[in-house]
Amino acid sequence: MRLLEYQAKSLFSDYGIKIPKGLTSTNIEKGRKDAKTLGFPFVIKAQMPVGGRGKAGAIQKCHNADEFELKYAEIMQKVVKGEKTRAILLEKMADYKKELYLSLFLNRGKRCYTLIASSEGGVEIESVKNQVIREVGLGNVPKSTSEEVAKAIGLKDNSIQEFADLVQKLSKLTIEKEAELTEINPVAVLADGTLLALDGKVIIDDNAMFRHEELKKFQEVSELEEKAEKSGFSLVELDGNIAVVGNGAGLVMSSLDMLSDHGGKPACFLDVGGGATTETVYEALTLISKMKKVKGILVNLYGGIVKTTTVATAFIRAYENKIIDVPVFARLSGAESDKSKQMLSGSKTRLFDTVEEAINAAVIGVNKNG
Amino acid sequence: MVDLFDILIGKEGEKGYKKKSVIVQGITGKFGSFHTQQMIAYGTNIVAGVTPGKGGQKFDGVPIYNTAKEAVDASGAKISVVFVPAKFFLDAATEAIEAGIKLLIAIPEHVPIRDAMTILDLTKKKDAIMIGPNTPGIIIPGIIKIGIMPASPFNVGNIAVLSRSGTLMYEVSHNLSAAGFGQSISLGIGGDPINGTTVIEAFDMIRNRTNIDGVVVVGEIGGDSEELLAQHIIDTKFEKPVVAYVAGRAAPKEKRMGHAGAIIYGNYGSAESKVSMYAKANVPVAKRPAEVPMLLAGKLGRKKS
């Protein structure tokens, strides 16, 4: 789960990391009140889970009420890399003399957390120069390492202790909240040498959420994605018109790739989980029926142990209950496939021996009708 | 370093050769009980099960114990397959490793990263191996099946399959078997961000086996294990044919595609990055699972001539 900037900053604040004064709103009425409380000038920042907001004009300075009316409305409508503005953060500007970079992230290849710091923050991590990198096990950064890193990025005087403290606080947050990534970019160095977190990015391990009731309020899932999660499915909504369903994340991704290679446009990625039963497939079809854009369904199930007739029963029930009326193109691997074909003859579900054949038929079928 | 085949098969003439003892943690659960029956049917020597509170009972003739320690003490097993829900994985796995288990097959999906890393630390201290979490398990066709994979896709043969995805491991093995390429081992790495045994580690465990003519690596987007493996193949001058498959070319960025580990941040974890590193290592990448045996035949044929 990726937190929005203001959510990340509220966690920072809980851990004693200094942040600029700011207020968050989701409509202009509340925004106007916030503006009054803060006083001009300030920065208007779109809250959305992507980088590159500045370049896209989703973060802008604001000096007076007229400007506020225009810019608030404009930024509320922004879409950056497919992500809409969720809320707006108004934040006081700080006077600072330098921008640093600091993050702790899970290095999957090395299987440990990695601390990255740099004297040149404010740009995306790929372009951050002079990176100082330290491996820190499960995320617990020793105090001595924090100070050593502060010196390594060229800090002087009280900024060394300030930075070491900041690292300690971020490390504590990372461990206690089970974050895969915590990033402060930039860290502002103020005139008096103290530090301020100007931006914040935090990604929490979804699988650890059962231990973090306190973070549930930050969870944002689409209605359909939430329903899918309750059924134990994984659903990712996409822009096309052919729903892709299968069992196992790898298999569904593979089907998505092949469909795209054949010129098809996936409407969603839906993994019903390792096993497949009449109930799970029926539920998957029910979920898909709620997506208006779907003109056809591609099903790729590798059963092995599962009997295909078990799955075929779900299709028949879905048509009978008028859950779906779009054609289904299915490849079901498993026992009793001849019997399944017989069961489905005359229905809008067509069975194929290979996924390639099912995809070809789906692309042709949907384009013809679409 | 523990030898994987030694634990799974043993040495000829030695006690328990090709009949290694395995315990099942969570043997009475829905998945645990079903797959215990499937494993026994395949010929796996399941000697004990663990379900707290059900000690003294039996499941399909297999004695159940309250703790992993009792199960290990009574059976002498060195292998455990874990089916408990993700929330209880940390305790179950700790108990097993402390009891002397040397190979832990971690089936559960949704294990928190911190718990997986904690167990990984423990396995290193105790000279044990964890496969998974979120793995379908390991199968040595004709000898032993530990996990949740169906038996039908796998045939006896000389190709090793390493896979980050469960159903794709079945799909690719099925395609290989149909083309006449049986497997000496099919091993699921697991779909999580942190793997108890990485692709490279698994690769090194099997690379020098004489019963392996070629290796198939089934990968997906997310992380950098394919990139690291490609570099490793170059660095160590591995000469047997390697063929790869990478799922997720059409996946959008920053979206978790089912597996906790299948997510692209920037270019980190993208399919392009993996395919281009494989090209440097002279590893052909199949566009679809059915293409894997064709590429492998090409590589093996070229090598023979």
Side-chain angles (χ1 to χ4, degrees), chain A residues 18 113 115 122 140 159 173 209 286 302 308 317 325 349 366:
Chain A
K18 272 178 260 167
Y113 278 84
L115 168 76
N140 197 358
S159 289
L173 188 160
M209 280 300 286
T286 311
Y302 197 98
T308 57
R317 203 186 290 168
D325 59 356
T349 292
V366 168

Side-chain angles (χ1 to χ4, degrees), chain A residues 150-161:
Chain A
K151 286 174 194 158
I153 61 168
L155 292 175
K156 300 258 167 355
D157 309 323
N158 67 329
S159 289
I160 295 173
Q161 200 48 54

Side-chain angles (χ1 to χ4, degrees), chain B residues 114-136:
Chain B
R114 185 153 299 274
D115 297 356
M117 287 174 84
T118 305
I119 296 301
L120 179 63
D121 260 12
L122 185 64
T123 57
K124 283 181 183 161
K125 279 181 199 132
K126 299 277 181 179
D127 197 24
I129 299 174
M130 168 167 64
I131 307 286
N134 197 6
T135 173

Side-chain angles (χ1 to χ4, degrees), chain B residues 25 50 66-69 90-100 122:
Chain B
Q25 293 180 263
V50 182
N66 286 323
T67 65
K69 185 165 189 336
L90 181 63
D91 287 344
T94 306
E95 205 184 288
I97 304 289
E98 297 283 2
L122 185 64

Side-chain angles (χ1 to χ4, degrees), chain A residues 3-182:
Chain A
L3 303 187
L4 298 170
E5 178 194 1
Y6 81 93
Q7 298 166 339
K9 281 180 169 168
S10 83
L11 281 187
F12 290 169
S13 193
D14 291 346
Y15 280 80
I17 296 169
K18 272 178 260 167
I19 55 169
K21 195 173 177 200
L23 293 164
T24 311
S25 57
T26 51
N27 60 64
I28 196 156
E29 289 78 25
K30 166 78 166 46
R32 285 186 193 113
K33 279 183 202 155
D34 290 351
K36 212 170 189 179
T37 316
L38 279 182
F40 297 102
F42 49 71
V43 194
I44 307 181
K45 302 176 100 176
Q47 299 297 290
M48 45 172 65
V50 285
R53 287 175 297 163
K55 271 185 217 149
I59 298 178
Q60 294 188 40
K61 284 181 187 168
C62 177
H63 303 89
N64 56 55
D66 289 345
E67 218 178 58
F68 177 78
E69 293 295 319
L70 284 173
K71 288 187 172 172
Y72 192 100
E74 182 199 335
I75 291 174
M76 201 66 193
Q77 298 302 318
K78 280 277 178 202
V79 177
V80 181
K81 296 175 192 166
E83 296 289 348
K84 290 179 192 150
T85 300
R86 313 295 208 273
I88 286 192
L89 170 66
L90 305 184
E91 201 172 70
K92 287 306 277 184
M93 286 181 273
D95 280 327
Y96 53 90
K97 49 177 192 181
K98 202 171 169 44
E99 290 184 335
L100 314 172
Y101 175 91
L102 173 63
S103 73
L104 265 167
F105 90 103
L106 179 74
N107 186 322
R108 292 169 53 171
K110 295 205 159 75
R111 291 183 296 183
C112 66
Y113 278 84
T114 305
L115 168 76
I116 302 180
S118 168
S119 56
E120 296 172 52
V123 291
E124 293 205 33
I125 175 66
E126 288 82 2
S127 341
V128 170
K129 289 179 195 144
N130 302 325
Q131 296 185 8
V132 173
I133 302 173
R134 299 286 180 270
E135 288 174 19
V136 289
L138 285 167
N140 197 358
V141 188
K143 206 156 186 274
S144 53
T145 306
S146 307
E147 287 167 5
E148 179 257 319
V149 169
K151 286 174 194 158
I153 61 168
L155 292 175
K156 300 258 167 355
D157 309 323
N158 67 329
S159 289
I160 295 173
Q161 200 48 54
E162 285 276 339
F163 191 80
D165 281 349
L166 181 65
V167 172
Q168 296 287 295
K169 286 167 181 164
L170 198 65
S171 156
K172 191 161 187 272
L173 188 160
T174 306
I175 293 168
E176 289 182 357
K177 300 299 177 193
E178 302 193 55
E180 288 175 54
L181 169 82
T182 52

Side-chain angles (χ1 to χ4, degrees), chain B residues 46-108:
Chain B
I46 307 287
V47 293
V50 182
T51 296
K54 294 200 177 164
Q57 301 177 20
K58 283 196 170 189
F59 173 79
D60 266 26
V62 178
I64 303 175
Y65 298 89
N66 286 323
T67 65
K69 185 165 189 336
E70 291 171 71
V72 169
D73 287 349
S75 66
K78 298 284 178 217
I79 307 171
S80 174
V81 54
V82 185
F83 283 98
V84 303
K87 285 182 189 184
F88 307 122
F89 174 74
L90 181 63
D91 287 344
T94 306
E95 205 184 288
I97 304 289
E98 297 283 2
I101 288 295
K102 292 295 170 197
L103 176 62
L104 186 86
I105 315 283
I107 305 294

